[in-house]
Amino acid sequence: MIPVIIHDKCQCDPKKCTAKRMLKFGLGKEAKTLSAIPRGSIVLSPFSEIALSPADIVHAKKGLVVMDLTWTNIDDFPKLKGVHERSLPYLLASNPVNWGRPMELNSAEAVMASLIILGEKGQAEEFTGRFNWAPEFIRLNGAMLEDYSNAEDSAGVVRIQNEYLESIRGGK
């Protein structure tokens, strides 16, 4: 089991906040301050040039950290030292706010995808009963997530992502 750590910047509607919902249902623990984030853990960052891959499981055992802030405030993403920042590969959002938009996942979608990529499918399945959009997320992204979870490393994930994007573009 991978410890999921949530740093909530309290920028979204509390009724729609997936970070608060993950905390409520025990799907993660809160890091109230940035200094509470474990050294050596994985921090999901849209700015990282390294894609999350199954090879990151060693670091993820120290913690998988999601920073919950709105996409409109993404430039306020904190810089941390002593952690391993990783980005997620191409995926489609299934939440009601961003449905179908590539790469605009909410925090719960990001954690769920990360757990699958890291080989923790059982832990990811705990989300399906807590978020009504979770089965749709798997329907939209299941094949990609399976392929990403079979990659050897970040370069393999990026290669798979690029092959998928090329197939969408029709090989242009």
Side-chain angles (χ1 to χ4, degrees):
M1 185 121 177
I2 294 174
V4 174
I5 299 150
I6 302 158
H7 182 70
D8 187 359
K9 300 286 273 180
C10 299
Q11 296 176 347
C12 56
D13 179 348
K15 292 179 183 174
K16 296 178 184 175
C17 182
T18 62
K20 288 185 183 359
R21 194 163 185 163
M22 285 189 288
L23 292 168
K24 175 182 176 183
F25 292 118
L27 298 171
K29 296 198 185 291
E30 186 173 20
K32 292 185 188 251
T33 64
L34 293 176
S35 62
I37 293 171
R39 293 184 65 72
S41 62
I42 298 282
V43 173
L44 297 175
S45 168
F47 301 110
S48 178
E49 294 186 17
I50 303 170
L52 182 73
S53 77
D56 289 311
I57 190 69
V58 173
H59 304 300
K61 294 288 183 185
K62 294 180 180 177
L64 174 66
V65 182
V66 64
M67 300 286 184
D68 189 74
L69 61 159
T70 63
W71 281 104
T72 55
N73 294 324
I74 201 68
D75 291 334
D76 295 336
F77 197 91
K79 296 283 184 205
L80 300 169
K81 294 185 184 206
V83 297
H84 304 276
E85 287 191 359
R86 298 292 186 266
S87 60
L88 286 172
Y90 182 87
L91 295 165
L92 298 171
S94 68
N95 67 77
V97 175
N98 292 324
W99 192 94
R101 289 186 188 158
M103 305 307 297
E104 289 195 25
L105 309 182
N106 65 32
S107 293
E109 287 170 321
V111 170
M112 198 169 137
S114 298
L115 292 170
I116 293 169
I117 291 169
L118 292 166
E120 296 291 335
K121 291 179 186 169
Q123 188 176 354
E125 286 174 8
E126 295 175 22
F127 286 70
T128 57
R130 302 299 183 186
F131 298 94
N132 60 2
W133 46 256
E136 178 72 356
F137 183 75
I138 297 302
R139 188 189 71 75
L140 286 172
N141 298 294
M144 285 185 289
L145 287 167
E146 183 69 26
D147 289 343
Y148 296 148
S149 72
N150 289 321
E152 189 172 318
D153 55 18
S154 178
V157 168
V158 171
R159 182 185 45 75
I160 292 164
Q161 169 188 267
N162 291 342
E163 288 170 2
Y164 180 76
L165 291 172
E166 191 66 25
S167 74
I168 292 172
R169 293 182 194 115
K172 294 179 186 172

